[in-house]
Amino acid sequence: MTEKKEKDLGPFEMPAGYSLIAGVDEVGRGPLVGDVVTAAVILDPNQPIAGLTDSKKLSEKKRLALFPEIQQKALAWSIGRCSAQEIDQLNIFQATMLAMQRAVAGLAIQPDLVLIDGNKVPTLLMEAQAVVKGDLRVAQISAASIIAKVVRDQEMEALDKIYPQFGFAQHKGYPTKAHFAAIEQYGVIEQHRRSFAPVKRALGLR
């Protein structure tokens, strides 16, 4: 049923009457370790970027090629985040909403409309609208998804250099068999999300 719904989603009709539209997306709600990372991007209509789509549908090589192009051509872009500790305090949904607020607040130019990937909208100072599968249907959200994905992946690769035994460069902190095995063998690190069930179990918590 889910696949059918996704196929039924047609092109997104951009709301009229707005001059500065920001797209917002997140990466990292599912991992057991690290920040949830969000990005906000306002594209320049006079500098179109070819190949924008959901970051998950792009190869790493293509994402890394688009990353600097988006940064150079966008009118404004910004990163927001919530740490593992904030996620544990707030819960992952509230932390994601806060990270999105931070990304929008960090834009050098204030948008008059914000389009958010998904079906939930954080409280913002300007108008905002949720767009289901927005990372596939809205160029601004696609650009945000690429920025957030590349930034978070690079952070996982940096963490991998500190803790090579966990394999973060490969699984990016997601709950894979290899990650579970590493937690069982080596325990948890400061960056693990202690409120997530597999980490709780490793700590002997309920």
Side-chain angles (χ1 to χ4, degrees):
M1 288 296 289
T2 305
E3 285 186 11
K4 187 176 189 305
K5 281 184 181 176
E6 289 178 8
K7 287 175 184 174
D8 289 344
L9 291 172
F12 178 72
E13 191 172 329
M14 195 67 73
Y18 299 95
S19 57
L20 292 170
I21 298 175
V24 175
D25 200 5
E26 58 74 26
V27 173
R29 286 181 69 163
L32 307 177
V33 70
D35 297 353
V36 60
V37 176
T38 60
V41 178
I42 303 174
L43 293 176
D44 183 349
N46 296 316
Q47 295 195 79
I49 300 170
L52 292 177
T53 188
D54 175 6
S55 62
K56 297 184 292 295
K57 296 192 176 296
L58 296 169
S59 67
E60 183 181 15
K61 183 179 179 182
K62 184 62 175 172
R63 286 196 299 268
L64 290 174
L66 284 167
F67 183 70
E69 185 178 1
I70 294 165
Q71 291 176 310
Q72 290 159 15
K73 290 184 176 179
L75 292 174
W77 65 275
S78 173
I79 291 291
R81 64 178 65 249
C82 267
S83 67
Q85 289 74 25
E86 288 176 306
I87 292 166
D88 291 338
Q89 289 166 6
L90 297 170
N91 75 46
I92 187 59
F93 172 73
Q94 295 298 339
T96 302
M97 294 295 104
L98 177 56
M100 287 181 172
Q101 290 172 329
R102 288 171 174 170
V104 173
L107 288 168
I109 304 168
Q110 182 167 300
D112 46 14
L113 175 67
V114 178
L115 299 176
I116 309 276
D117 183 57
N119 58 9
K120 301 290 184 184
V121 175
T123 302
L124 296 169
L125 298 175
M126 66 290 294
E127 286 191 55
Q129 180 179 337
V131 184
V132 175
K133 291 289 168 188
D135 47 11
L136 282 170
R137 303 164 68 209
V138 177
Q140 289 91 335
I141 299 177
S142 299
S145 79
I146 292 164
I147 293 285
K149 172 74 173 158
V150 171
V151 166
R152 192 178 193 284
D153 281 358
Q154 289 175 345
E155 290 174 4
M156 286 295 101
E157 286 157 14
L159 196 62
D160 184 77
K161 288 182 170 63
I162 302 169
Y163 302 101
Q165 68 272 31
F166 282 92
F168 293 132
Q170 285 72 47
H171 55 66
K172 305 299 190 285
Y174 282 88
T176 63
K177 285 182 180 178
H179 195 178
F180 290 146
I183 289 174
E184 191 172 334
Q185 184 172 357
Y186 302 109
V188 301
I189 61 172
E190 182 187 351
Q191 292 86 348
H192 271 108
R193 301 173 183 178
R194 283 157 169 71
S195 58
F196 280 38
V199 183
K200 273 186 176 180
R201 285 196 294 271
L203 291 167
L205 303 173
R206 290 179 178 270

